[in-house]
Amino acid sequence: MISFQPTEEQQMIMDTVRSFALEQMREQGHEAEESRTLSTSLLASAKELGLIPANIPEQYGGFGEGHSALTGTLFAEELGYGDLSAALHILSPASVATPLVAFGTEEQKQTYLPKFAEDSFFASAALVEPTWNFDPAELKTTAQKTENGYVISGQKSHVITDGEGEQLFLLYARDEETGTTQAFLVERTAEGVTVGERERGMGLGALRYHTVTFDEVEVPAAAKLGGDGGVDVTKLLNYARVGTAALATGLAKASYEYAQEYAKNREAFGKPVAQFQSIAFMLAEMRIAVESMRLLTWEAAWKLDQNEDATQAAVLAKQYADEYVLQVADRAVQILGGHGYIREYPVERWLREARVFGAVEGLAMV
């Protein structure tokens, strides 16, 4: 049976992350968007939370017993509740750490997992390709087997970076030998890796993300995640779908609660606008959507932790979240009226950010 009550440890993590999300992420969200920069103090505080090492076993430099998608879902929602740009940056290393814990060889785990506790280390996934027909199962980026390892060529978009420091990419490519999508550990400093100019979109102004070109990048055979056997990419995509749905739930919850509070305090014709039937109905539907998003996400995460086939549940959670986070954010703007269109009010930013969920695959992983 699925339990709807977090454990004592999970509740403590949720309370801690929610406090951080409100007091720091939410407070700095507007300034970060306008300056297109996440403050170093915010990122340092996020590092102190230890969210990534908490999912890494002690023998590999972490302080957790093991990885839990459900626990990751709980704190991902709280991060999305604070600020999406900051949340994606904070969770980016998990998109590499989680696959390493789940599928890495002993050598790969010993080499890379301890680095996630280092302040100067950053990691991110390179999955999405800048093509109109992008399909994770039919990637254009290729990995050609050679006597010494692999030669990788292709281009990836929406790759999150952390300035110029040490960075590890988990690059997804079509293994030409097996004809399947596999993952490869590639250092940013490898010859043939070119990080393009920082991209700009309609949202996520504070997040650094780029198009990265891999031009005949040579990597050893040991760089293939999971060794010769490779990885179950479908399961990794499910982790990403669940993580993305959790972030969307957090953003939708923030939009709903902000609109609800505004409607309670904003008066028209002598009474709070929340008492008008049209506004009350919108708020009720927004609440239903948030709760539905959360339950679908929890179910998919629970199935992942039980080693069940979670593909259907993960796809349903993400598809529902993609649609309804946009609807909830749009209605928040509608409830605020003219104020909802002003940049000083966060719902304007949240509506722009909500659009990214249906446009980009594999935003985050838990």
Side-chain angles (χ1 to χ4, degrees), residues 296-308:
L296 285 168
T297 304
W298 281 6
E299 179 184 6
W302 180 83
K303 286 191 173 185
L304 284 169
D305 283 346
Q306 301 302 310
N307 288 319
E308 294 184 12

Side-chain angles (χ1 to χ4, degrees), residues 16-32:
T16 301
V17 178
R18 183 181 300 123
S19 176
F20 170 74
L22 282 174
E23 295 172 9
Q24 298 195 50
M25 296 172 70
R26 180 78 62 84
E27 285 295 314
Q28 298 183 36
H30 175 70
E31 182 180 347

Side-chain angles (χ1 to χ4, degrees), residues 25 32-33 38 83-90 203-207 353:
M25 296 172 70
E33 172 79 8
L38 295 171
D83 178 70
L84 189 59
S85 286
L88 287 169
H89 183 98
I90 293 166
L204 304 175
L207 183 68
E353 292 176 340

Side-chain angles (χ1 to χ4, degrees), residues 77 244-254 290 293-294 297 321 325 357:
E77 179 182 331
T244 302
L247 287 174
T249 303
L251 193 149
K253 176 185 173 185
V290 171
M293 291 165 66
R294 179 180 295 118
T297 304
V325 66
F357 290 101

Side-chain angles (χ1 to χ4, degrees), residues 22-342:
L22 282 174
E23 295 172 9
Q24 298 195 50
M25 296 172 70
R26 180 78 62 84
E27 285 295 314
Q28 298 183 36
H30 175 70
E31 182 180 347
E33 172 79 8
E34 295 300 312
S35 65
R36 301 189 69 225
T37 304
L38 295 171
S39 72
T40 54
S41 61
L42 173 71
L43 298 181
S45 296
K47 197 84 171 181
E48 291 175 2
L49 293 175
L51 298 177
I52 308 303
N55 276 315
I56 296 176
E58 290 185 17
Q59 67 193 92
Y60 302 116
F63 48 83
E65 295 181 0
H67 173 256
S68 168
L70 186 54
T71 300
T73 295
L74 296 175
F75 68 67
E77 179 182 331
E78 301 301 338
L79 291 174
Y81 181 68
D83 178 70
L84 189 59
S85 286
L88 287 169
H89 183 98
I90 293 166
L91 288 176
S92 178
S95 64
V96 182
T98 295
L100 273 168
V101 171
F103 294 106
T105 64
E106 186 62 26
E107 179 185 358
Q108 290 168 343
K109 292 177 180 179
Q110 293 285 358
T111 300
Y112 292 109
L113 287 178
K115 291 179 177 288
F116 287 87
E118 300 175 4
D119 291 338
S120 60
F121 181 76
F122 192 74
S124 61
L127 170 65
V128 179
E129 297 180 340
T131 60
W132 67 271
N133 59 344
F134 165 70
D135 181 352
E138 297 289 341
L139 295 176
K140 303 296 187 292
T141 301
T142 60
Q144 186 69 50
K145 190 81 165 64
T146 66
E147 291 184 1
N148 300 318
Y150 293 88
V151 174
I152 300 175
S153 295
Q155 194 173 58
K156 299 293 183 176
S157 63
H158 297 85
V159 181
I160 300 172
T161 71
D162 186 32
E164 302 298 327
E166 182 183 3
Q167 181 160 356
L168 177 68
F169 296 124
L170 185 63
L171 170 65
Y172 291 84
R174 179 179 176 80
D175 186 337
E176 295 287 69
E177 184 180 38
T178 64
T180 61
T181 297
Q182 292 297 321
F184 298 83
L185 297 159
V186 181
E187 302 281 354
R188 177 173 177 166
T189 55
E191 186 175 352
V193 176
T194 303
V195 178
E197 293 294 320
R198 181 177 176 181
E199 297 179 5
R200 300 193 68 155
M202 67 183 291
L204 304 175
L207 183 68
R208 287 178 175 270
Y209 59 97
H210 308 253
T211 293
V212 181
T213 302
F214 299 86
D215 184 12
E216 296 188 350
V217 179
E218 297 183 10
V219 297
K224 183 178 179 180
L225 188 64
D228 293 337
V231 299
D232 180 354
V233 173
T234 298
K235 187 168 187 177
L236 292 183
L237 289 174
N238 288 339
Y239 279 122
R241 288 164 181 147
V242 168
T244 302
L247 287 174
T249 303
L251 193 149
K253 176 185 173 185
S255 301
Y256 159 70
E257 290 187 356
Y258 196 94
Q260 180 189 49
E261 193 63 26
Y262 180 91
K264 287 180 179 178
N265 292 289
R266 176 74 170 179
E267 291 193 359
F269 304 104
K271 63 179 181 180
V273 298
Q275 293 182 16
F276 289 94
Q277 191 176 64
S278 60
I279 301 297
F281 281 0
M282 275 198 285
L283 288 169
E285 290 171 353
M286 291 161 72
R287 177 64 182 270
I288 292 170
V290 171
E291 296 294 337
S292 300
M293 291 165 66
R294 179 180 295 118
L295 292 175
L296 285 168
T297 304
W298 281 6
E299 179 184 6
W302 180 83
K303 286 191 173 185
L304 284 169
D305 283 346
Q306 301 302 310
N307 288 319
E308 294 184 12
D309 182 0
T311 300
Q312 183 182 65
V315 169
L316 287 173
K318 185 181 182 301
Q319 289 296 107
Y320 189 90
D322 289 349
E323 178 177 351
Y324 280 92
V325 66
L326 188 59
Q327 183 185 106
V328 171
D330 180 65
R331 289 188 170 180
V333 170
Q334 182 69 31
I335 290 170
L336 264 70
H339 287 158
Y341 201 70
I342 299 174

